[in-house]
Amino acid sequence: MKSDLLRQKFHELHSAGLPYADITKELGISLRTAGNWSREMQLPRRNGGPRRQRWMPSNKPKIG
């Protein structure tokens, strides 16, 4: 089936470390679909990219 081939390709691209934005663009799927497939396949979770890290609170000890 077409969806089985897409899922297989998704797994390959995810395992190769491609960002979700690139995977979704190449396969023509939504970001939500990519996330759902990742959970269904029990693929390892990824940390957020640079954009997420910029808004994360720092781990520096507070003075006070």
Side-chain angles (χ1 to χ4, degrees), residues 1-9 37:
M1 276 194 185
K2 184 177 180 181
S3 66
D4 292 337
L5 294 174
L6 277 176
R7 287 174 184 251
Q8 181 180 1
K9 185 68 175 173
W37 287 359

Side-chain angles (χ1 to χ4, degrees), residues 6-40:
L6 277 176
R7 287 174 184 251
Q8 181 180 1
K9 185 68 175 173
F10 170 80
H11 189 276
E12 292 170 6
L13 296 174
H14 185 278
S15 298
L18 263 68
Y20 279 114
D22 294 344
I23 294 172
T24 57
K25 197 178 293 185
E26 183 171 331
L27 299 180
I29 60 174
S30 70
L31 188 58
R32 181 178 289 274
T33 298
N36 289 341
W37 287 359
S38 177
R39 280 189 296 282
E40 287 172 10

Side-chain angles (χ1 to χ4, degrees), residues 44-63:
R45 292 190 64 164
R46 295 181 175 179
N47 293 332
R51 182 174 169 196
R52 178 182 169 121
Q53 291 171 359
R54 181 176 56 214
W55 297 105
M56 297 281 293
S58 85
N59 293 330
K60 294 180 183 175
K62 293 183 179 180
I63 301 172

